[in-house]
Amino acid sequence: MPEARMAWNGAAFDGLAQVRELPVQGMISLRGDLASAPVQNAATEVTGAAMPGPRGVEGAGDSAIAWMSPDELLILLPHGTVQDALARMDAVLAGEHALALDMSDARAVFEVEGPAAREVLAKLCPVDLDPAVFGPGEMRRTRAAQIAVAFWQSGPHAFRLICFRSVAGYLFDLLKGAAHPAARVGVFDPSA
Amino acid sequence: MLILDCPCCGRAADETELEGGGEAHLTRFGPGASDDDFERYLFLRGNPKGVHFERWRHAYGCGKWFLAARCTTTLEVFGTYAAQTTAPPPEIVAAIKARRPNWEAPV
């Protein structure tokens, strides 16, 4: 196996918010009947996180379970542990109509951090990012300008975004533009 | 701007997150059907001014298909419902009748 490489070499930008690409993240796509016990157990056992409800994400850091659609979960794990986790999941899923697949190299992960992080995302995504509406524990699949992204809140003022790695450069440029110091709107931060 | 509530994932999805799939509740005609039926199924659409039933896909969200009832002139949305239905469900018909008393469900 060739060494895993970040999609955009860990690019970083410091503006209204800090934008940076995160190191390679292990990801397993799990599809099946989310109400079935083996599917739920496969996800919770390898991550140690609880089973999220619809539109939710459970867990912290690089170990989490995200609800992607009525029949799909995204399992986040440290990159080196994916093969081991897959073997354990396959054992739990034996006989179940479900699929677990290593998708680690399909996507890039970015973090946007800072008091203006909400504003940066709100400029790019058709999502109500009011803190009263969108908070921790929510997984939001949507678009950023012309590409598909998904994001969740990873800290008090931090959001993690995932996109396909072929468009990582495009997303980084978008975030850089939205976080440009001269582009402050201050809509979620009236004191600014 | 059109905002539809995706019945599959429960998100209020902006038009730009969705992909249109044309008219809903088409009756499918395949091999063995008459040329007229097949032409009607394949090419001819109601294109009404007013209440319209449509297929939509939450392309940038959960990726699932669903159906929506809306007005093509005012963009008013009467409701969204599962794609696995062959006719508008009663609650959608009731919601339309509440706003358009003279409207009759297409046969």
Side-chain angles (χ1 to χ4, degrees):
Chain A
M1 280 271 283
E3 190 191 342
R5 297 200 51 170
M6 293 160 80
W8 217 239
N9 286 328
F13 176 77
D14 204 355
L16 293 178
Q18 284 82 51
V19 179
R20 64 189 177 105
E21 189 193 0
L22 297 184
V24 285
Q25 162 81 57
M27 292 186 200
I28 296 172
S29 200
L30 174 61
R31 295 200 86 139
D33 176 5
L34 300 191
S36 101
V39 171
Q40 297 194 0
N41 292 341
T44 53
E45 267 186 43
V46 293
T47 54
M51 175 73 188
R55 306 177 296 281
V57 54
E58 292 280 352
D62 53 9
S63 286
I65 309 175
W67 190 94
M68 297 292 271
S69 86
D71 56 4
E72 183 181 356
L73 296 175
L74 180 67
I75 291 163
L76 304 176
L77 289 167
H79 194 270
T81 67
V82 167
Q83 292 310 319
D84 175 53
L86 269 180
R88 284 160 63 202
M89 289 173 72
D90 282 343
V92 177
L93 291 170
E96 182 76 12
H97 181 62
L99 174 75
L101 197 64
D102 179 6
M103 296 289 282
S104 307
D105 300 327
R107 298 191 180 94
V109 188
F110 288 89
E111 188 155 68
V112 182
E113 192 171 13
R118 269 177 198 280
E119 178 177 313
V120 170
L121 292 185
K123 286 178 187 173
L124 302 171
C125 306
V127 176
D128 187 351
L129 276 149
D130 189 305
V133 178
F134 191 93
E138 290 258 348
M139 179 73 175
R140 186 58 152 101
R141 293 180 76 181
T142 181
R143 63 189 295 160
Q146 302 196 45
I147 57 164
V149 300
F151 61 80
W152 66 98
Q153 196 172 342
S154 54
H157 296 291
F159 292 84
R160 281 192 189 180
L161 291 88
I162 54 174
C163 70
F164 288 120
R165 69 181 286 137
S166 58
V167 290
Y170 177 82
L171 181 61
F172 179 70
D173 287 345
L174 281 182
L175 292 168
K176 214 164 63 169
H180 192 281
R184 177 182 292 280
V185 179
V187 64
F188 296 123
D189 184 12
S191 62
Chain B
M1 184 62 77
L2 191 60
I3 295 177
L4 299 176
D5 292 322
C6 173
C8 303
C9 69
R11 292 275 184 213
D14 184 277
E15 191 179 338
T16 56
E17 240 176 67
L18 302 166
E19 210 172 76
E23 191 176 317
H25 303 309
L26 297 178
T27 304
R28 194 165 190 166
F29 290 94
S34 72
D35 285 355
D36 281 354
D37 282 343
F38 188 65
E39 184 202 21
R40 201 174 314 125
Y41 156 60
L42 202 58
F43 298 115
L44 304 184
R45 297 293 178 266
N47 194 24
K49 182 176 178 183
V51 177
H52 194 215
F53 298 95
E54 294 170 330
R55 304 169 70 226
W56 287 91
R57 191 170 84 89
H58 196 184
Y60 285 87
C62 66
K64 303 296 180 196
W65 285 97
F66 63 93
L67 305 183
R70 69 173 181 111
C71 177
T72 57
T73 44
T74 63
L75 291 193
E76 179 176 359
V77 177
F78 303 108
T80 55
Y81 51 103
Q84 292 75 21
T85 49
T86 52
E91 65 272 18
I92 297 289
V93 171
I96 297 170
K97 291 236 187 234
R99 301 283 298 161
R100 304 279 189 282
N102 297 327
W103 176 81
E104 284 303 326
V107 192

